Amino acid sequence: MDMLINGIAATAADKTWIEVTNPATGEYVDRVPRGSEEDVNAAVEAADAAFGVWSEKTTRDRGLVLYRAAELIRRDHKDLAEILTREQGKPIRESTDEVRGCANIFEYYASIAGLPAGETVTLGKAGDCLVTRVPLGVCAAIIPWNMPVLIMGWKAGPALLAGNSLVLKPASTTPLTNLRIAGLLKDAGLPHGVLNVVTGPGETVGAALVKHPRVKKISFTGDCATGHRIREMAQDHLKTLTLELGGSDPMIVMADADIPKAVEGALRGRFYNAGQICTAVKRLYLHEKIAEEFMRLLTAKVEGLSVGNGLSPGTDMGPLNSAEQLGRISSVIHETTEREEGTIRAGGCPLTGSAYEKGFFYTPTLITDVAPDAALLSNEIFGPVLPVVTVPDLGAAIREANHSKYGLGASVWTKDLATVKQVYQEVNAGIIWVNRHLTVPPEVPFGGTKESGMGRENGSKALDSYTQTKTLYLGW
Ligand code: NDP
């Protein structure tokens, strides 16, 4: 599949390619151009030239393009979901949810067209001010491989509605669905050059995009270390940044919780997408009164998960996305057992056997008796591994929950409003769920504190980060 530059399918300047393979089977799926700095320059030039045309349209006209794109995505959702599963690995049911989720995001932004409105300031005799919100210009979106379609929606939706043009760089293992959706946006009426997609390695294409002087804003989702490097690269031109850098979300289950519901919450919260979600449940804190019963139920559920090829009906969990991911998870578990930092209660090894030998499969894993300073608790574990800690009371749970460099999401499972209030006030995170985890509808702002990043995506407030104010001071 080719890149999309100025509305035209483009190969790399030096005609080299990246092969995309299925993480469940190792089979070749397709290839994309291995873009270079030259391709980035061409894409930024196209975006710069298209900015005037797009930013001069009314927000209603821009919203209509997003609305039509949402319809086209829904029309093609089966096809798109299958491509997503082939390149990413997740079960087809999850791919379908994600593709529909992207359509919902475009539709949501279409529905709030007109919102990036400004304000008026009245200064009495000194005059009146009209404060408008204007687009930034060329923006860059750097997409990760874990939820590539949803995250494309989170970035492209507000960026385009606000009147910016965009250069998008997909992750190298999952560029195909992003390219297909870019094609649908074009079919929906997006003028040439408003959205450009350059495929290629982050180290070259991604870095060139971040450093390009005409790129005004970078929205990045991915690894914390990469986020810090992007911030350094972007500072020369004082670019606007939105950085979503992951999390280590705690889930706190109190003694009065609806236990079966909380068990389902932990199961989905940790093992959806094979645990490769920034806001997955990454640390489970159980009140000591219910810990035993909870673990009995959860262990049975985890051991009952069907792991396999995402295209096979009945698969609950697919493979990890790459050999690197499998290596990372395997070494985390190896180090945990070597250092005696926890007891494996379920899973704890890669899956073996003929059905798994060419894929990157890891068993859904539960670890109990976790040492307080275990790496499992302090690092972001981006895979199907759940460390479980028993706590005597809410105060201890909150202290543990806050003992992390991350602050993306957190959940509390309880029926008690006072408990909810205390968690909401004292846990340091961008979003606190009560009796659920993971759900992020398009209307809800998403982002975290501490090392989880800066800025918010989703919701109407995301439009602020793709616009700036401009003031007309009327001195009567
Ligand atoms: P990265 O942060 O390296 O990749 C995310 C995106 O950034 C990809 O498109 C990548 O391109 C691009 N990129 C990489 N290096 C640069 C750079 N120097 N300049 C600009 N863009 C760059 O994450 P990894 O894929 O290496 O995953 C490593 C770990 O990161 C995971 O195990 C997980 O812990 C975490 N992660 C967190 C995510 C989240 O949602 N918070 C999402 C993905 C990963 P390319 O694919 O070509 O390398």
Side-chain angles (χ1 to χ4, degrees):
M1 206 179 275
D2 287 334
M3 302 188 285
L4 184 73
I5 298 181
N6 207 12
I8 298 168
T11 54
D14 64 359
K15 303 278 181 269
T16 54
W17 303 88
I18 294 174
E19 287 197 353
V20 180
T21 54
N22 184 331
T25 60
E27 285 163 359
Y28 171 83
V29 181
D30 204 341
R31 63 179 195 172
V32 292
R34 185 180 291 275
S36 62
E37 192 170 343
E38 212 176 311
D39 301 302
V40 169
N41 291 341
V44 173
E45 222 164 272
D48 205 19
F51 173 65
V53 177
W54 185 240
S55 58
E56 278 174 8
K57 288 193 182 295
T58 62
T59 45
R60 184 174 176 279
D61 283 345
R62 295 196 291 259
L64 279 175
V65 172
L66 289 178
Y67 187 73
R68 280 197 293 270
E71 283 184 331
L72 297 181
I73 291 169
R74 288 211 183 89
R75 183 197 66 191
D76 292 355
H77 77 270
K78 281 196 179 142
D79 198 18
L80 293 165
E82 190 176 323
I83 300 170
L84 180 56
T85 290
R86 283 188 195 282
E87 64 178 343
Q88 205 277 346
K90 62 184 69 186
I92 195 80
R93 183 174 23 88
E94 294 183 14
S95 290
T96 306
D97 284 352
E98 187 172 338
V99 166
R100 288 198 177 124
C102 180
N104 293 344
I105 292 163
F106 286 161
E107 198 173 70
Y108 165 70
Y109 281 106
S111 78
I112 60 167
L115 251 197
E119 56 183 327
T120 53
V121 180
T122 303
L123 300 167
K125 278 189 190 155
D128 290 299
C129 293
L130 181 64
V131 184
T132 60
R133 294 207 74 97
V134 296
L136 301 172
V138 179
C139 298
I142 300 179
I143 310 290
W145 44 264
N146 60 328
M147 307 285 281
V149 173
L150 199 73
I151 292 172
M152 177 178 184
W154 284 2
K155 298 186 192 307
L160 296 176
L161 183 75
N164 301 284
S165 53
L166 193 61
V167 180
L168 184 141
K169 193 210 94 62
S172 292
T173 54
T174 57
L176 303 174
T177 330
N178 284 165
L179 281 163
R180 284 290 297 268
I181 291 175
L184 293 178
L185 276 154
K186 188 182 139 197
D187 295 348
L190 202 64
H192 285 185
V194 175
L195 172 63
N196 307 273
V197 183
V198 183
T199 50
E203 294 293 337
T204 51
V205 164
L209 193 51
V210 170
K211 287 192 253 177
H212 198 295
R214 270 189 278 165
V215 171
K216 304 290 183 224
K217 182 204 164 98
I218 295 128
S219 179
F220 166 80
T221 302
D223 194 34
C224 213
T226 314
H228 280 280
R229 277 162 58 208
I230 286 178
R231 190 174 173 180
E232 279 162 25
M233 287 190 275
Q235 73 187 10
D236 275 354
H237 297 97
L238 300 177
K239 299 180 183 205
T240 306
L241 288 177
T242 299
L243 301 175
E244 203 279 89
L245 308 181
S248 180
D249 285 15
M251 168 173 173
I252 300 170
V253 186
M254 296 308 291
D256 68 336
D258 176 335
I259 301 301
K261 186 174 168 186
V263 167
E264 286 299 333
L267 189 75
R268 182 173 184 278
R270 176 72 273 201
F271 299 102
Y272 195 82
N273 200 20
Q276 303 167 118
I277 302 187
C278 43
T279 189
V281 173
K282 302 216 176 91
R283 297 173 288 150
L284 178 59
Y285 295 104
L286 299 178
H287 191 282
E288 60 189 13
K289 282 193 188 146
I290 47 91
E292 207 179 310
E293 184 200 355
F294 194 100
M295 284 311 292
R296 187 174 49 75
L297 296 172
L298 182 62
T299 306
K301 293 261 182 198
V302 167
E303 288 177 341
L305 287 174
S306 154
V307 183
N309 188 330
L311 291 176
S312 309
T315 293
D316 295 315
M317 193 181 98
L320 297 171
N321 178 247
S322 62
E324 288 74 26
Q325 274 298 107
L326 183 59
R328 282 184 195 114
I329 295 304
S330 300
S331 66
V332 163
I333 299 302
H334 179 71
E335 281 160 22
T336 302
T337 42
E338 282 275 291
R339 295 190 204 134
E340 300 183 350
E341 288 181 345
T343 306
I344 293 175
R345 177 88 177 242
C349 55
L351 271 156
T352 50
S354 57
Y356 303 113
E357 65 190 0
K358 293 200 173 130
F360 310 124
F361 293 97
Y362 203 86
T363 46
T365 299
L366 292 173
I367 305 202
T368 53
D369 311 316
V370 184
D373 53 355
L376 265 185
L377 298 175
S378 49
N379 296 332
E380 177 178 40
I381 310 301
F382 217 64
V385 175
L386 183 56
V388 186
V389 176
T390 302
V391 286
D393 53 39
L394 182 61
I398 291 175
R399 273 194 305 281
E400 297 271 350
N402 282 333
H403 188 62
S404 169
K405 66 176 181 175
Y406 295 105
L408 188 54
S411 65
V412 60
W413 298 69
T414 180
K415 298 188 186 89
D416 178 40
L417 202 53
T419 301
V420 172
K421 182 180 169 206
Q422 193 176 344
V423 169
Y424 186 67
Q425 288 178 337
E426 295 179 17
V427 172
N428 229 330
I431 182 164
I432 310 280
W433 286 278
V434 178
N435 298 327
R436 57 174 60 213
H437 201 113
L438 263 194
T439 325
V440 188
E443 301 84 354
V444 177
F446 182 76
T449 60
K450 301 194 269 184
E451 289 280 312
S452 288
M454 52 200 282
R456 294 289 179 268
E457 300 197 280
N458 241 18
S460 60
K461 290 288 169 212
L463 289 169
D464 289 352
S465 71
Y466 287 96
T467 52
Q468 57 192 331
T469 58
K470 188 165 184 181
T471 303
L472 181 67
Y473 190 131
L474 300 163
W476 302 121

